[in-house]
Amino acid sequence: MYKLIVSDLDETLLGSDGKISQENIEAIKAASKKGVKFVPNTGRGFASVQVLLQKLGLYQEANEFVISYNGGAIVENQDNRVLQTNEMTYEEAKGVFEITSQYLHNDTHVYTLNQLYIYNPREEDLAYLKPRHVNYHIMENDDFSIFKDDKIMKVITMNPDQEVLRPVHDKVMDTFDNQLNASYSSGMYAEFNHLGTDKGTATLELADSLGIKKDEILALGDNSNDLPMLRKVGMPVVVANGTTEAKSLAKYVTKNNYQTGVAEAIEKFVL
């Protein structure tokens, strides 16, 4: 029996408008009623997940959790108690920012533990963040020293054109000799974390703390930042709209997309 469900949010559980279907809500609540833990496992910060937790009946609940920043933080829902972080070094984050900020067609996100800062924002990016309840500050200049005393969870760069985004990703990874964890998400972000930080590692760390074995974990995803999570659990599931690479790791691909794919998987394997 599966005791833990970890799920990516955007384009897996949530639609392009950032909303969750009633079918997915009801399936998650039914699983929770059976004692199965449902843990959002997202690249976003945990603050932006609070509205969703309210809809799922998990808001401010003790012994319920969110994995944020692609595994950079594990947080208990009650009082948003941070249990574990695996942040970038200041030098790593600064080095990534110095590269991405040179590309004027991209914008750059800097995620500290509790805040998001955006440099050179693009309208498409801000429109994407709004329905997802993501709060942010606009960086007025490229002075990265403002973060010298912060925990920097990740740095990402955004452009909706993959042909523009990919060279920036490659430049960063070449500069760091591939000693960062890098992934793509939502078809427009290239994300950079500290090496060894990913959704899969954080999933197993949380599971171990709960006495749950990897074969008792079901993971749901759709994109490249979900791959480590899909590789490390007993039941990797990818929604119908997932990438070809993600589907290649799945033991089950849902018939439905993000609209009801999560509900389909929970009904099949948990309920």
Side-chain angles (χ1 to χ4, degrees), residues 187-198:
M188 58 184 179
Y189 296 113
E191 312 206 6
F192 304 97
N193 286 82
H194 184 67
L195 189 67
T197 300
D198 59 58

Side-chain angles (χ1 to χ4, degrees), residues 5 24 27-28 30-31 38 218 220 261-271:
I5 302 169
N24 284 345
I28 291 167
F38 182 86
L218 185 154
L220 294 133
V262 170
E264 176 188 331
I266 291 175
E267 290 283 351
K268 180 177 180 65
F269 295 108
V270 177
L271 302 180

Side-chain angles (χ1 to χ4, degrees), residues 8-15 18 42 44 128 132 186 222 226:
D8 173 57
L9 296 186
D10 299 313
E11 291 82 51
T12 296
L13 180 65
L14 308 178
T42 179
R44 292 201 260 128
Y128 182 85
R132 289 162 175 79
S186 300
D222 77 299
D226 301 319

Side-chain angles (χ1 to χ4, degrees), residues 11 106-107 124-125 128-129 132 157-162 165 184-190 223:
E11 291 82 51
N106 288 32
D107 70 15
E124 308 100 312
D125 195 7
Y128 182 85
L129 297 175
R132 289 162 175 79
T157 186
M158 179 271 178
N159 192 291
D161 185 344
Q162 288 290 311
L165 190 64
Y184 291 100
S185 66
S186 300
M188 58 184 179
Y189 296 113
N223 215 318

Side-chain angles (χ1 to χ4, degrees), residues 18 31 69 103 140 178 269:
Y69 307 116
Y103 291 82
E140 300 298 337
N178 292 313
F269 295 108

Side-chain angles (χ1 to χ4, degrees), residues 58-64 75-81:
L58 300 172
Y59 178 71
Q60 286 294 317
E61 288 293 316
N63 207 33
E64 301 288 350
V75 181
E76 184 176 14
N77 295 352
Q78 187 177 57
D79 299 325
N80 285 329
R81 187 166 71 94

